[in-house]
Amino acid sequence: MKMNRALTTGAGIIAGLLLFVKASAQDEPNKWAPANIKVDGQATEWPKPLQFYNNETKLFYTIANDQDNIYVIVSVPDPKSQMKIMRSGLTLSVNATGKKKGGVSVTFPLTENVSTGAPDVPEASRALIAGELKKQVLANVKEIKVSGFEGIPDGNIPVRNTFGIQTAGTYEAAGNLVLEVAIPLKTLGVTSLAGQPIAYHFKVNAMKREDKKEMEAKRAKGQAAPMPGEYEDNFAMYYSADFWTRQTLANH
């Protein structure tokens, strides 16, 4: 009798766990985009805190839509993730079929060719001006990289483009890197908001090997590492981090 009761209890616990996992795996609904939304890298119009957090990439994020666009806002408090993004960009892929693979992609910010003309300053002063220099770098980005869009050539296109894809980034006073992107639903082939599941892939790209060689060479000569960011000899910096998620479109 006791064994039967134990088996019954165990089966109930397992069933409950399975039910919990299944419920947790259901598609989350998008938020409806704030009425005053503006893709400017400022998080002021977004409800706080952001809706989700991923520990693998150290990203806080919210996904929203209105009748015209999908919007994604990302907040990055982690310094190492910030450095990887500032060096190699964040790639957001979107698959309108809901499958967690492939899809169109946008990579930004592309900072590698941006120069602020910052003067050579002592190491002690760099920490004081680093935040402003990073803001300048982000403000001066001229291109984003796209792939997989019908009617849009793969490769770099202007930040201010005619396809309706918008990106922006800045640093908050608290030191968080904030990135925003808007992608027109029409570029995804989406014509209805009727609960359609969309799959999203977030990828914090790895720092490039040439970045490591450059910074190591400068340090060997006693020179400061190039802005933005400071060099950290960390193995994980040279590997990407990513995750997939899936959400249904909001229908306001």
Side-chain angles (χ1 to χ4, degrees):
M1 179 68 73
K2 289 183 178 180
M3 182 175 292
N4 289 338
R5 186 179 298 117
L7 289 172
T8 302
T9 302
I13 292 174
I14 293 171
L17 287 172
L18 290 174
L19 181 62
F20 173 78
V21 170
K22 183 177 180 181
S24 300
Q26 295 300 309
D27 297 340
E28 292 281 352
N30 281 4
K31 295 291 188 183
W32 188 258
N36 58 335
I37 192 167
K38 183 178 180 182
V39 180
D40 56 5
Q42 305 289 337
T44 51
E45 71 268 37
W46 291 89
K48 306 295 189 308
L50 295 183
Q51 194 175 9
F52 300 104
Y53 174 75
N54 176 263
N55 191 55
E56 183 71 21
T57 56
K58 313 299 183 186
L59 303 181
F60 291 89
Y61 67 98
T62 295
I63 302 172
N65 68 272
D66 55 20
Q67 66 274 12
D68 298 316
N69 299 294
I70 285 174
Y71 302 90
V72 177
I73 182 168
V74 174
S75 178
V76 192
D78 178 66
K80 295 176 184 177
S81 293
Q82 287 184 14
M83 184 181 288
K84 289 200 285 187
I85 291 172
M86 290 294 288
R87 289 288 180 176
S88 302
L90 173 74
T91 298
L92 174 70
S93 300
V94 182
N95 191 331
T97 70
K99 295 179 180 179
K100 294 183 178 181
K101 62 179 182 179
V104 304
S105 69
V106 179
T107 300
F108 72 106
L110 302 183
T111 65
E112 58 185 2
N113 295 322
V114 176
S115 174
T116 62
D120 189 15
V121 295
E123 187 76 15
S125 301
R126 288 169 65 84
L128 298 176
I129 65 172
E132 286 306 313
L133 282 177
K134 291 175 184 177
K135 287 181 182 179
Q136 289 180 33
V137 167
L138 289 168
N140 291 330
V141 170
K142 303 300 182 185
E143 293 183 321
I144 59 177
K145 183 178 180 180
V146 298
S147 177
F149 289 91
E150 185 175 350
I152 304 177
D154 290 351
N156 290 8
I157 64 173
V159 169
R160 298 182 180 277
N161 57 80
T162 59
F163 307 111
I165 300 172
Q166 304 173 63
T167 64
T170 191
Y171 274 81
E172 295 180 316
N176 297 338
L177 171 62
V178 176
L179 301 172
E180 287 184 292
V181 58
I183 301 176
L185 290 169
K186 64 182 180 182
T187 66
L188 303 173
V190 175
T191 58
S192 171
L193 301 181
Q196 180 168 340
I198 307 289
Y200 303 88
H201 183 229
F202 293 76
K203 183 180 180 183
V204 176
N205 296 309
M207 287 180 63
K208 300 178 179 67
R209 298 289 175 176
E210 51 266 33
D211 282 332
K212 184 177 182 181
K213 291 178 181 178
E214 177 190 352
M215 288 188 282
E216 285 178 339
K218 286 183 176 291
R219 283 296 170 103
K221 294 179 181 179
Q223 298 178 11
M227 285 292 185
E230 298 295 332
Y231 173 67
E232 292 186 47
D233 190 11
N234 191 312
F235 189 70
M237 299 293 286
Y238 303 95
Y239 287 87
S240 61
D242 70 296
F243 70 96
W244 280 97
T245 186
R246 187 166 57 199
Q247 297 191 19
T248 56
L249 291 175
N251 194 348
H252 191 47

